[in-house]
Amino acid sequence: MILDPSKKEDLETIKTAIREDSDDDIGVQSAALAAIAYVKGAIGRGKPSFYAQENERIDLINLSIMLLTDHYYRAGSATVESQNVNGTLREYDLGFTSIILQLKAAYLQFEEGESND
């Protein structure tokens, strides 16, 4: 099952993963919810059981959520500004792109109701 930041134990898991020990639960929850929405949007939303089954892809999904949560929480934005010779660029922090691509391929092959047991 993917992480659910509204559950105390999942919120604590996320905070540990992003090394956040403050009491800013609302900030971390907001960043995590935004990350979950992004990840599901990037992979696909039409197969809900893809995100519900316990298997190897759940670890990748949760890793991508935690990576993006950390970025959203720390940067306060979905983008990172950088300078080049032509001026300021707004770049997306997509260090987890390869994980998303792997998951998208698995999603496209996934049949709703499929079991890996």
Side-chain angles (χ1 to χ4, degrees), residues 3 13-14 17-18 61-71:
L3 293 167
T13 298
I14 293 167
I18 69 170
I61 293 168
N62 285 335
L63 176 60
S64 65
I65 290 168
M66 288 187 279
L67 289 171
L68 195 55
T69 297
D70 184 52
H71 171 71

Side-chain angles (χ1 to χ4, degrees), residues 70-101:
D70 184 52
H71 171 71
Y72 285 165
Y73 183 72
R74 305 237 182 267
S77 167
T79 59
V80 176
E81 289 188 10
S82 65
Q83 294 283 335
N84 71 7
V85 292
N86 297 324
T88 301
L89 296 175
R90 305 255 324 148
E91 299 177 4
Y92 289 95
D93 181 34
L94 298 178
F96 67 106
T97 301
S98 64
I99 295 171
I100 294 295
L101 291 173

